[in-house]
Amino acid sequence: MEAKAFYAPENRTFKRLSGAMERCIHKTDRCHAQGWRFAASLANRASMDVPAKPRNHLYLVDGSAYIFRAYHRLPPLTNPQGVPVGAVYGYTTMLWKLAEDLHAADGPTHLAVILDKGSVTFRNELYDAYKANRPPPPEDLVPQFPLIRDATRAFSLACIEEAGLEADDLIASYTRAAAAQGWDVTIVSSDKDLMQLVGEYPGGGRVDMLDTMKNQRVFIPEVVDKFGVPPEKVGDVLALMGDAVDNVPGIRGIGPKTATKLIQENGDLETALANAPAMKAGKLRESLIEQADMARLSRKLIALKDDCALPIPLDDFTLGPIPPDPLAAFLGEHGFTSLLRKLGTRETAAPAARTTGAPAPAAPTAPETGNRQPLPEWPAIDTAAYPCVQDEADLEEWIARAQAAGLVAVDTETSALDAVGADLVGISLATGPGAACYIPLGHGNTTDMFAERPRQIDKARALALLKPLLEDDSVLKVGQNIKYDLTVLARHGIAVAPIDDTMVMSFCLDAGRGEPMPFGHGMDELAERHLGHTTIKFKDVAGTGKKAISFAEVPLPDATRYAAEDAEVTWRLHAVLAPRLAEEGGTRIYQRVDRPLVQVIATMEGHGIKVDRERLATLSGEFATRIAALESVIHEKAGTTFTIGSPKQLGEVLFDKLGYKGGKKGKSGQYSTDQSVLETLASQGAEVATLVLEWRQLSKLKSTYTDALQAAINPATGRVHTSYSLVGAQTGRLSSNDPNLQNIPVRTEIGRQIRDAFVAEPGHVLLSADYSQIELRLAAHIADVPALREAFAHGEDIHARTAMELFGEVNRDTRGRAKTINFAILYGISRWGLATRLGTSADEAQAMIDRYFERFPGIQRYIHETLEHVRDRGYSETLFGRKTWFPRIASKTQAERAGSERAAINAPIQGTCADIIKRAMARMTPALVEAGLGHVRMLLQVHDELVFELPESDVAAASAVIERVMATAAEPAVKLSVPLGVEIGTGPSWGAAH
DNA sequence: CTACTCACG
DNA sequence: GACGTACGTGAGTAGC
């Protein structure tokens, strides 16, 4: 306990599940390349889909087609290793040009590269000669294909390829999907087949094409120009013409001119074929009649399949910041020096530029584990070399460097762990590998009046200099658990933005991964795993236990090594994780859900909630009296004095000394004395058991709540400030700690008194808004269960409806059983579990499960499909694309496997619920502000509940806004087939608001 | 540091 | 025939 108060925030240890699982926190970064400064502001812009956003514009790059053209048009360049890279160079310059268009008003907001997978497709089944006459690609083009993927990755862009589908079909499918939602689409290709897709779409989207080589836009007039017909008739023209390259037969003797003329005159292919017999006799008439079937086949071959399943959702193509380092590494590796020069500027240029010509390393990624090795161009981390910034001129230089880079990793050091109470001791910055510094600001400010105070810049002055950088829209601030730094800096009047958080990025990529235990997302662990680097530990500079010192007392050389390293590590982690988000489909959940939440949570934590200390103290006293009374009675009945709180001693007293039956020992050889055991004993007339149960309840309430909460009141604010973890729960839920405000009692009358101690300020009230039955509603939607959907649509009592379906009648008993079964479903059912809960035999439980599946057939299908998906891909997904990994789904150990299966069934439902309330939270403040309710404060989140504090007079107006934001939180990304019910209550205390 | 117990959704 | 009985958390206490 005493050590805790001295931990630096970045080493903060949260979890105590089993062993100490670290959940770390940190920050770092760096960058260069003035040409890329748009990245930071772009990252900011992409964060939420509410309120107003710029019109979405999706660019789909036909990568495979491009590479062939580039190969033939460019000279045969080779890279320093002698590998031919001419086509790759062409491709790279094309991506570069597109990236430059990001500035333009109609530039891309989303972008994906589509590649051919080079496999057999459905067209080969239609016509086995399809594309059969293609010559093999030239020998010096073959090695360039994989490099296309590298180039794409270097830009951190999404790349799609799917076996059994041609790039054209994927492009058509994405085009249709995007245009239907009203997005604009630009297809970057010159393939005439794709011209079929050009036009205005019913959803409001506008689709055009871009030929980057000719720098030419193709819209309806250009298509008509080329084919003489509008886009929707292009397929008919092509079917008559055929296509020599793809070996589409068409009709022999008909070329572009004749084909166009025939379609213009007849309107479409079928009419043209039907009218053929009426044409004037001749070769054309005969060909049309004879080869009509060939034309029809050709039409099918040319038709684009626009209903393919989209392997990656559109939202994942959101353009985020393009980290310069992977790009610099790639350009350097292949000797693309002119682009490299454009990218890198002055001494902060990517080190990759200096190592051009180094042998290309083996593929560094290990996607199956989520690990990635450091980019080889980086020098090893040298903690001895960091400068300690002690005068203003140096600080200004670092600020300028960060400004030029457009991306800076930031880490704050404080005197204690508590973000709301701790003092700022120093700030570290990093702008690249080997480019990090530490700025001490509060060293020597200790209680030791003889301590030397080292030379450092005045804190207020330094913060004034840093403020413009930290608030600059065009500079991305990267942190490891940057929520902590936001909170600390907010107290100094600095509103840090825009931000990225490597801890949250790691969570969006790797939640649940790792064996035998899931990986943590703390900095030390991430550094070890992704960078192969062992960080300096906080205890190495500050000591541990009673001898630990505050960071303010750490000598500057040690503090500098430690703090600047954290910033540099964070910077490197960002360079590793940012491209992975794009590659692995994590962008959508990160950019649209979790990243916007970081600031929201920081603000909530900063508010805290008022707790009535007197009331808690009174409760503590009452509980203590009752506990003491119970204790003596228990000892008397037991005939011995023992520690009631010791399960070991209690078990021995109950089962050995008093001789009660039903003692079962676990694998540790100890009797179980948990609630269910004691209740059984109590029902058999064991009064001691009843007394112990009451004793347990009261001591739990006293120690965990009435005592601990008083101690948690922040002396400066008079309120309790919990800390939420965004990476605590594998499903995407938040967790709350220090103290945990998500498990305040509510289920029993005596426990609920504790909620009455959570109060509003005078003249204010607390407002509690919670989603009603949200998990069951989402199950009804996700599993597509008509009976449940209907019940929710009509506002029925869902458990009663289930009882009716299962038992044919509704009464207290059947409704209760139905409720149990409904929950069992959400948790991944087993007949034994259900039998235990219902107090029936496993056979009866099984019969009920069967009946449930029969009445609600979607459920069984959902379970089956979810497990297939997880076994196949390793992870489950929520409706919003959040992945949770289940590496033990194929474990040889039955229990492990079964446990993973149950968790996997639950995760999409629990996780979607978490996504929805997170979206609601991210939109809440803007919505309240818009309604003139900017002073309404959101204080707490308890999984399906939000708690606000507001003036009593604003209750009606605020309730309307809150209800609307919560009920519509899934939209527009997901259209739910069930309504989301929100229940709102208000009162002077949390207890009264329920 | 681990196991047990129990508070919440 | 069984995974040893639901999913996800955090925290306090006893005891090695």
Side-chain angles (χ1 to χ4, degrees), chain A residues 370-400:
Chain A
N371 292 351
R372 173 177 293 223
Q373 292 310 303
L375 298 180
E377 294 78 12
W378 290 343
I381 290 175
D382 177 8
T383 59
Y386 296 125
C388 182
V389 174
Q390 291 171 287
D391 58 57
E392 284 186 28
D394 280 354
L395 177 56
E396 280 168 358
E397 212 169 283
W398 276 95
I399 290 169

mmCIF file of all heavy atoms in Angstrom, chain A residues 370-400:
data_model
loop_
_atom_site.group_PDB
_atom_site.id
_atom_site.type_symbol
_atom_site.label_atom_id
_atom_site.label_comp_id
_atom_site.label_asym_id
_atom_site.label_seq_id
_atom_site.Cartn_x
_atom_site.Cartn_y
_atom_site.Cartn_z
ATOM 1 N N GLY A 370 0.365 -11.541 -32.764
ATOM 2 C CA GLY A 370 0.178 -10.120 -32.529
ATOM 3 C C GLY A 370 1.480 -9.421 -32.173
ATOM 4 O O GLY A 370 1.499 -8.263 -31.824
ATOM 5 N N ASN A 371 2.579 -10.125 -32.266
ATOM 6 C CA ASN A 371 3.868 -9.502 -31.967
ATOM 7 C C ASN A 371 4.490 -8.958 -33.238
ATOM 8 O O ASN A 371 4.252 -9.445 -34.320
ATOM 9 C CB ASN A 371 4.844 -10.529 -31.383
ATOM 10 C CG ASN A 371 4.405 -10.967 -30.015
ATOM 11 O OD1 ASN A 371 3.476 -10.393 -29.449
ATOM 12 N ND2 ASN A 371 5.047 -11.991 -29.516
ATOM 13 N N ARG A 372 5.309 -7.971 -33.062
ATOM 14 C CA ARG A 372 6.024 -7.459 -34.218
ATOM 15 C C ARG A 372 7.384 -7.000 -33.764
ATOM 16 O O ARG A 372 7.531 -6.338 -32.751
ATOM 17 C CB ARG A 372 5.260 -6.294 -34.832
ATOM 18 C CG ARG A 372 6.051 -5.613 -35.929
ATOM 19 C CD ARG A 372 5.231 -4.530 -36.538
ATOM 20 N NE ARG A 372 4.102 -5.118 -37.236
ATOM 21 C CZ ARG A 372 3.714 -4.712 -38.432
ATOM 22 N NH1 ARG A 372 4.330 -3.759 -39.051
ATOM 23 N NH2 ARG A 372 2.692 -5.262 -38.998
ATOM 24 N N GLN A 373 8.349 -7.358 -34.504
ATOM 25 C CA GLN A 373 9.700 -6.966 -34.134
ATOM 26 C C GLN A 373 9.968 -5.534 -34.575
ATOM 27 O O GLN A 373 9.287 -5.011 -35.434
ATOM 28 C CB GLN A 373 10.717 -7.921 -34.783
ATOM 29 C CG GLN A 373 10.638 -9.327 -34.211
ATOM 30 C CD GLN A 373 10.673 -9.329 -32.689
ATOM 31 O OE1 GLN A 373 11.608 -8.820 -32.087
ATOM 32 N NE2 GLN A 373 9.618 -9.846 -32.054
ATOM 33 N N PRO A 374 10.926 -4.901 -33.964
ATOM 34 C CA PRO A 374 11.206 -3.511 -34.317
ATOM 35 C C PRO A 374 11.680 -3.396 -35.760
ATOM 36 O O PRO A 374 12.237 -4.338 -36.313
ATOM 37 C CB PRO A 374 12.325 -3.117 -33.363
ATOM 38 C CG PRO A 374 12.920 -4.405 -32.921
ATOM 39 C CD PRO A 374 11.818 -5.397 -32.924
ATOM 40 N N LEU A 375 11.439 -2.246 -36.330
ATOM 41 C CA LEU A 375 11.955 -2.019 -37.660
ATOM 42 C C LEU A 375 13.476 -1.972 -37.567
ATOM 43 O O LEU A 375 14.036 -1.337 -36.669
ATOM 44 C CB LEU A 375 11.411 -0.707 -38.214
ATOM 45 C CG LEU A 375 9.891 -0.732 -38.344
ATOM 46 C CD1 LEU A 375 9.378 0.581 -38.895
ATOM 47 C CD2 LEU A 375 9.448 -1.878 -39.222
ATOM 48 N N PRO A 376 14.164 -2.664 -38.438
ATOM 49 C CA PRO A 376 15.600 -2.850 -38.296
ATOM 50 C C PRO A 376 16.409 -1.574 -38.479
ATOM 51 O O PRO A 376 17.544 -1.491 -38.055
ATOM 52 C CB PRO A 376 15.927 -3.852 -39.398
ATOM 53 C CG PRO A 376 14.829 -3.702 -40.390
ATOM 54 C CD PRO A 376 13.610 -3.324 -39.615
ATOM 55 N N GLU A 377 15.793 -0.566 -39.067
ATOM 56 C CA GLU A 377 16.546 0.660 -39.316
ATOM 57 C C GLU A 377 16.786 1.443 -38.045
ATOM 58 O O GLU A 377 17.586 2.358 -38.011
ATOM 59 C CB GLU A 377 15.800 1.556 -40.314
ATOM 60 C CG GLU A 377 15.694 0.973 -41.705
ATOM 61 C CD GLU A 377 14.626 -0.082 -41.791
ATOM 62 O OE1 GLU A 377 13.811 -0.221 -40.846
ATOM 63 O OE2 GLU A 377 14.599 -0.811 -42.795
ATOM 64 N N TRP A 378 16.022 1.103 -37.006
ATOM 65 C CA TRP A 378 16.173 1.887 -35.790
ATOM 66 C C TRP A 378 17.425 1.493 -35.033
ATOM 67 O O TRP A 378 17.687 0.300 -34.841
ATOM 68 C CB TRP A 378 14.973 1.666 -34.885
ATOM 69 C CG TRP A 378 13.715 2.269 -35.399
ATOM 70 C CD1 TRP A 378 13.600 3.213 -36.360
ATOM 71 C CD2 TRP A 378 12.400 1.943 -34.976
ATOM 72 N NE1 TRP A 378 12.276 3.523 -36.558
ATOM 73 C CE2 TRP A 378 11.514 2.748 -35.708
ATOM 74 C CE3 TRP A 378 11.878 1.074 -34.030
ATOM 75 C CZ2 TRP A 378 10.147 2.696 -35.548
ATOM 76 C CZ3 TRP A 378 10.516 1.026 -33.862
ATOM 77 C CH2 TRP A 378 9.650 1.830 -34.614
ATOM 78 N N PRO A 379 18.141 2.477 -34.545
ATOM 79 C CA PRO A 379 19.258 2.144 -33.653
ATOM 80 C C PRO A 379 18.700 1.650 -32.318
ATOM 81 O O PRO A 379 17.557 1.922 -31.976
ATOM 82 C CB PRO A 379 19.965 3.486 -33.477
ATOM 83 C CG PRO A 379 18.933 4.520 -33.756
ATOM 84 C CD PRO A 379 17.977 3.919 -34.747
ATOM 85 N N ALA A 380 19.535 0.919 -31.589
ATOM 86 C CA ALA A 380 19.097 0.452 -30.277
ATOM 87 C C ALA A 380 18.814 1.655 -29.372
ATOM 88 O O ALA A 380 19.385 2.734 -29.551
ATOM 89 C CB ALA A 380 20.172 -0.426 -29.658
ATOM 90 N N ILE A 381 17.940 1.454 -28.418
ATOM 91 C CA ILE A 381 17.603 2.526 -27.487
ATOM 92 C C ILE A 381 18.793 2.769 -26.560
ATOM 93 O O ILE A 381 19.303 1.846 -25.950
ATOM 94 C CB ILE A 381 16.339 2.152 -26.684
ATOM 95 C CG1 ILE A 381 15.127 2.173 -27.610
ATOM 96 C CG2 ILE A 381 16.145 3.090 -25.490
ATOM 97 C CD1 ILE A 381 13.837 1.702 -26.984
ATOM 98 N N ASP A 382 19.216 4.029 -26.507
ATOM 99 C CA ASP A 382 20.377 4.374 -25.688
ATOM 100 C C ASP A 382 19.935 5.355 -24.602
ATOM 101 O O ASP A 382 19.791 6.554 -24.838
ATOM 102 C CB ASP A 382 21.460 5.007 -26.578
ATOM 103 C CG ASP A 382 22.660 5.447 -25.757
ATOM 104 O OD1 ASP A 382 22.719 5.135 -24.549
ATOM 105 O OD2 ASP A 382 23.542 6.108 -26.346
ATOM 106 N N THR A 383 19.721 4.823 -23.408
ATOM 107 C CA THR A 383 19.163 5.675 -22.356
ATOM 108 C C THR A 383 20.187 6.631 -21.751
ATOM 109 O O THR A 383 19.819 7.522 -20.993
ATOM 110 C CB THR A 383 18.572 4.821 -21.218
ATOM 111 O OG1 THR A 383 19.611 3.994 -20.684
ATOM 112 C CG2 THR A 383 17.449 3.944 -21.723
ATOM 113 N N ALA A 384 21.462 6.424 -22.105
ATOM 114 C CA ALA A 384 22.480 7.308 -21.531
ATOM 115 C C ALA A 384 22.569 8.625 -22.292
ATOM 116 O O ALA A 384 23.165 9.587 -21.814
ATOM 117 C CB ALA A 384 23.833 6.609 -21.550
ATOM 118 N N ALA A 385 21.984 8.660 -23.478
ATOM 119 C CA ALA A 385 22.222 9.797 -24.358
ATOM 120 C C ALA A 385 21.165 10.898 -24.280
ATOM 121 O O ALA A 385 21.269 11.903 -24.962
ATOM 122 C CB ALA A 385 22.314 9.295 -25.805
ATOM 123 N N TYR A 386 20.150 10.717 -23.462
ATOM 124 C CA TYR A 386 19.060 11.685 -23.489
ATOM 125 C C TYR A 386 19.447 13.014 -22.856
ATOM 126 O O TYR A 386 20.008 13.043 -21.763
ATOM 127 C CB TYR A 386 17.845 11.138 -22.735
ATOM 128 C CG TYR A 386 17.244 9.913 -23.356
ATOM 129 C CD1 TYR A 386 17.074 8.756 -22.610
ATOM 130 C CD2 TYR A 386 16.830 9.896 -24.689
ATOM 131 C CE1 TYR A 386 16.503 7.618 -23.157
ATOM 132 C CE2 TYR A 386 16.270 8.768 -25.251
ATOM 133 C CZ TYR A 386 16.108 7.632 -24.486
ATOM 134 O OH TYR A 386 15.555 6.517 -25.037
ATOM 135 N N PRO A 387 19.106 14.092 -23.509
ATOM 136 C CA PRO A 387 19.358 15.392 -22.887
ATOM 137 C C PRO A 387 18.311 15.726 -21.826
ATOM 138 O O PRO A 387 17.156 15.342 -21.940
ATOM 139 C CB PRO A 387 19.247 16.372 -24.062
ATOM 140 C CG PRO A 387 18.385 15.679 -25.070
ATOM 141 C CD PRO A 387 18.610 14.209 -24.884
ATOM 142 N N CYS A 388 18.776 16.430 -20.816
ATOM 143 C CA CYS A 388 17.880 16.971 -19.799
ATOM 144 C C CYS A 388 17.710 18.454 -20.122
ATOM 145 O O CYS A 388 18.689 19.205 -20.148
ATOM 146 C CB CYS A 388 18.507 16.778 -18.424
ATOM 147 S SG CYS A 388 17.463 17.363 -17.080
ATOM 148 N N VAL A 389 16.503 18.865 -20.399
ATOM 149 C CA VAL A 389 16.272 20.231 -20.873
ATOM 150 C C VAL A 389 16.083 21.158 -19.682
ATOM 151 O O VAL A 389 15.096 21.063 -18.959
ATOM 152 C CB VAL A 389 15.040 20.253 -21.804
ATOM 153 C CG1 VAL A 389 14.708 21.686 -22.193
ATOM 154 C CG2 VAL A 389 15.297 19.415 -23.035
ATOM 155 N N GLN A 390 17.042 22.056 -19.499
ATOM 156 C CA GLN A 390 17.019 22.887 -18.297
ATOM 157 C C GLN A 390 16.969 24.379 -18.592
ATOM 158 O O GLN A 390 16.994 25.184 -17.669
ATOM 159 C CB GLN A 390 18.237 22.569 -17.412
ATOM 160 C CG GLN A 390 18.139 21.171 -16.794
ATOM 161 C CD GLN A 390 19.410 20.757 -16.092
ATOM 162 O OE1 GLN A 390 20.405 20.458 -16.747
ATOM 163 N NE2 GLN A 390 19.384 20.747 -14.762
ATOM 164 N N ASP A 391 16.991 24.757 -19.862
ATOM 165 C CA ASP A 391 16.774 26.180 -20.116
ATOM 166 C C ASP A 391 15.839 26.388 -21.300
ATOM 167 O O ASP A 391 15.604 25.508 -22.106
ATOM 168 C CB ASP A 391 18.101 26.939 -20.292
ATOM 169 C CG ASP A 391 18.923 26.356 -21.410
ATOM 170 O OD1 ASP A 391 18.414 26.298 -22.542
ATOM 171 O OD2 ASP A 391 20.070 25.941 -21.142
ATOM 172 N N GLU A 392 15.313 27.580 -21.360
ATOM 173 C CA GLU A 392 14.223 27.858 -22.288
ATOM 174 C C GLU A 392 14.617 27.684 -23.747
ATOM 175 O O GLU A 392 13.821 27.215 -24.561
ATOM 176 C CB GLU A 392 13.699 29.278 -22.068
ATOM 177 C CG GLU A 392 12.842 29.396 -20.829
ATOM 178 C CD GLU A 392 12.218 30.765 -20.702
ATOM 179 O OE1 GLU A 392 11.989 31.406 -21.751
ATOM 180 O OE2 GLU A 392 11.976 31.205 -19.559
ATOM 181 N N ALA A 393 15.852 28.060 -24.053
ATOM 182 C CA ALA A 393 16.267 27.965 -25.459
ATOM 183 C C ALA A 393 16.220 26.513 -25.930
ATOM 184 O O ALA A 393 15.736 26.213 -27.033
ATOM 185 C CB ALA A 393 17.670 28.531 -25.627
ATOM 186 N N ASP A 394 16.704 25.596 -25.076
ATOM 187 C CA ASP A 394 16.650 24.183 -25.435
ATOM 188 C C ASP A 394 15.211 23.707 -25.607
ATOM 189 O O ASP A 394 14.879 22.961 -26.523
ATOM 190 C CB ASP A 394 17.306 23.342 -24.330
ATOM 191 C CG ASP A 394 18.822 23.366 -24.453
ATOM 192 O OD1 ASP A 394 19.314 23.928 -25.456
ATOM 193 O OD2 ASP A 394 19.495 22.844 -23.541
ATOM 194 N N LEU A 395 14.371 24.140 -24.682
ATOM 195 C CA LEU A 395 12.970 23.720 -24.748
ATOM 196 C C LEU A 395 12.340 24.198 -26.048
ATOM 197 O O LEU A 395 11.630 23.451 -26.727
ATOM 198 C CB LEU A 395 12.201 24.268 -23.536
ATOM 199 C CG LEU A 395 10.701 23.950 -23.518
ATOM 200 C CD1 LEU A 395 10.456 22.449 -23.603
ATOM 201 C CD2 LEU A 395 10.045 24.523 -22.260
ATOM 202 N N GLU A 396 12.624 25.435 -26.402
ATOM 203 C CA GLU A 396 12.049 25.976 -27.635
ATOM 204 C C GLU A 396 12.505 25.186 -28.855
ATOM 205 O O GLU A 396 11.741 24.951 -29.793
ATOM 206 C CB GLU A 396 12.414 27.457 -27.785
ATOM 207 C CG GLU A 396 11.496 28.328 -26.934
ATOM 208 C CD GLU A 396 11.976 29.765 -26.820
ATOM 209 O OE1 GLU A 396 13.054 30.069 -27.374
ATOM 210 O OE2 GLU A 396 11.281 30.566 -26.172
ATOM 211 N N GLU A 397 13.749 24.731 -28.788
ATOM 212 C CA GLU A 397 14.256 23.924 -29.901
ATOM 213 C C GLU A 397 13.484 22.605 -30.022
ATOM 214 O O GLU A 397 13.120 22.178 -31.104
ATOM 215 C CB GLU A 397 15.736 23.639 -29.644
ATOM 216 C CG GLU A 397 16.557 23.535 -30.901
ATOM 217 C CD GLU A 397 18.039 23.517 -30.526
ATOM 218 O OE1 GLU A 397 18.595 24.595 -30.214
ATOM 219 O OE2 GLU A 397 18.589 22.410 -30.499
ATOM 220 N N TRP A 398 13.245 21.993 -28.872
ATOM 221 C CA TRP A 398 12.501 20.724 -28.896
ATOM 222 C C TRP A 398 11.063 20.941 -29.371
ATOM 223 O O TRP A 398 10.492 20.121 -30.093
ATOM 224 C CB TRP A 398 12.514 20.067 -27.511
ATOM 225 C CG TRP A 398 13.758 19.259 -27.307
ATOM 226 C CD1 TRP A 398 14.905 19.657 -26.694
ATOM 227 C CD2 TRP A 398 13.985 17.928 -27.780
ATOM 228 N NE1 TRP A 398 15.844 18.649 -26.741
ATOM 229 C CE2 TRP A 398 15.308 17.581 -27.402
ATOM 230 C CE3 TRP A 398 13.216 16.997 -28.477
ATOM 231 C CZ2 TRP A 398 15.867 16.332 -27.699
ATOM 232 C CZ3 TRP A 398 13.774 15.759 -28.769
ATOM 233 C CH2 TRP A 398 15.086 15.431 -28.385
ATOM 234 N N ILE A 399 10.491 22.040 -28.961
ATOM 235 C CA ILE A 399 9.120 22.316 -29.387
ATOM 236 C C ILE A 399 9.074 22.504 -30.900
ATOM 237 O O ILE A 399 8.186 21.980 -31.575
ATOM 238 C CB ILE A 399 8.572 23.557 -28.644
ATOM 239 C CG1 ILE A 399 8.345 23.197 -27.167
ATOM 240 C CG2 ILE A 399 7.290 24.052 -29.282
ATOM 241 C CD1 ILE A 399 8.049 24.378 -26.265
ATOM 242 N N ALA A 400 10.067 23.215 -31.424
ATOM 243 C CA ALA A 400 10.107 23.427 -32.873
ATOM 244 C C ALA A 400 10.261 22.094 -33.605
ATOM 245 O O ALA A 400 9.651 21.852 -34.647
ATOM 246 C CB ALA A 400 11.264 24.368 -33.224
#
